Amino acid sequence: MKEISSSKSHPHQWTFFTNHAHVLLMLANEPEMTLRQVAINVGITERAVQRIVADLEEAGILIRQKEGRRNHYRISRRKKLRHPVEAHRSVGELIDFIDTR
């Protein structure tokens, strides 16, 4: 797993994507990543990641599947993005465009 530098080290910088997008992209690239690992990579608390995952699940974008003691996350790639500006695009298109692998 490649660790991504946290925005906490640069508190006055802004990014183009929300933490929701960052969490989604992390789990799209590594579906078995723990939420703790996601939190470290995104630079937010594990509790914040849990809330974001719950939001994404509620929206039908993220599907959590239990595999033994671990979770595996599946993305509903055909779901449309939520904001009117990008609603003509799908979650899968966003993931493919960014692809952090």
Side-chain angles (χ1 to χ4, degrees):
M1 173 186 72
K2 179 176 96 173
E3 189 165 317
I4 299 172
S5 64
S6 165
S7 62
K8 286 182 179 180
S9 60
H10 304 288
H12 299 292
Q13 290 185 343
W14 56 272
T15 65
F16 280 101
F17 295 107
T18 66
N19 287 335
H20 280 68
H22 293 139
V23 168
L24 177 69
L25 292 167
M26 290 276 105
L27 293 174
N29 286 324
E30 292 194 43
E32 295 174 358
M33 184 181 281
T34 66
L35 298 187
R36 179 178 299 244
Q37 291 169 316
V38 173
I40 290 167
N41 280 301
V42 174
I44 59 178
T45 66
E46 190 172 349
R47 184 72 183 130
V49 172
Q50 291 170 349
R51 284 191 301 270
I52 289 168
V53 165
D55 288 346
L56 294 172
E57 284 181 303
E58 185 178 319
I61 294 169
L62 191 65
I63 298 142
R64 181 187 336 216
Q65 299 170 317
K66 193 80 167 163
E67 293 184 1
R69 297 184 69 190
R70 304 227 21 191
N71 290 320
H72 178 88
Y73 297 92
R74 194 171 46 113
I75 310 297
S76 296
R77 295 177 56 89
R78 291 186 178 160
K79 289 291 259 188
K80 293 296 182 185
L81 296 175
R82 293 168 52 108
H83 194 281
V85 170
E86 65 262 358
H88 64 287
R89 298 290 186 184
S90 71
V91 169
E93 288 174 300
L94 172 68
I95 292 167
D96 292 343
F97 177 72
I98 301 299
D99 193 6
T100 62
R101 286 181 265 186

